[in-house]
Amino acid sequence: MAAKPLSKTKIVSHIAEKVGTPKKTAALFFEELHKLAVKEAKGSAGKFVIPGIGRVVKAHRKARMGRNPQTGEAIKIKAKTVVRLRPAKALKDAILK
């Protein structure tokens, strides 16, 4: 059985302990980081960088032809905007060592 990823509460507790701040302050940091990421990614830049972790990028996906897996019928998939999370090189190198 695979290990479960850390919950938000556990992440907040860990950060608060390591930095020496109250849990409320650590939780507020994550809330503000989220708000800032959304604001920047929605804005004209269309991306938000978290140093050492990666970047959030707003990307456009072109219209394309797909296939209905149940019937095998060809269908047209509309163009749409999606959010991509791209890991930083430092993060990839640290994880894949």
Side-chain angles (χ1 to χ4, degrees):
M1 188 171 142
K4 286 186 178 180
L6 290 175
S7 66
K8 179 182 175 183
T9 307
K10 288 182 180 179
I11 292 170
V12 167
S13 295
H14 179 81
I15 296 296
E17 185 182 315
K18 290 289 183 184
V19 178
T21 63
K23 288 181 188 177
K24 279 188 178 183
T25 305
L28 184 62
F29 166 77
F30 283 110
E31 281 180 41
E32 290 302 320
L33 183 66
H34 173 262
K35 287 178 189 175
L36 185 60
V38 169
K39 180 181 161 198
E40 291 295 311
K42 273 186 163 183
S44 59
K47 63 182 172 182
F48 178 71
V49 178
I50 303 170
I53 303 289
R55 62 184 161 173
V56 177
V57 181
K58 186 167 67 171
H60 299 284
R61 198 181 278 171
K62 293 179 183 175
R64 65 191 196 280
M65 292 303 291
R67 192 164 298 281
N68 180 332
Q70 277 189 319
T71 64
E73 176 189 358
I75 57 171
K76 185 167 182 155
I77 300 169
K78 293 180 183 177
K80 64 180 176 179
T81 301
V82 295
V83 175
R84 292 196 177 128
L85 301 171
R86 296 194 176 152
K89 184 178 184 320
L91 182 67
K92 285 194 276 187
D93 291 346
I95 292 173
L96 301 175
K97 249 185 193 177

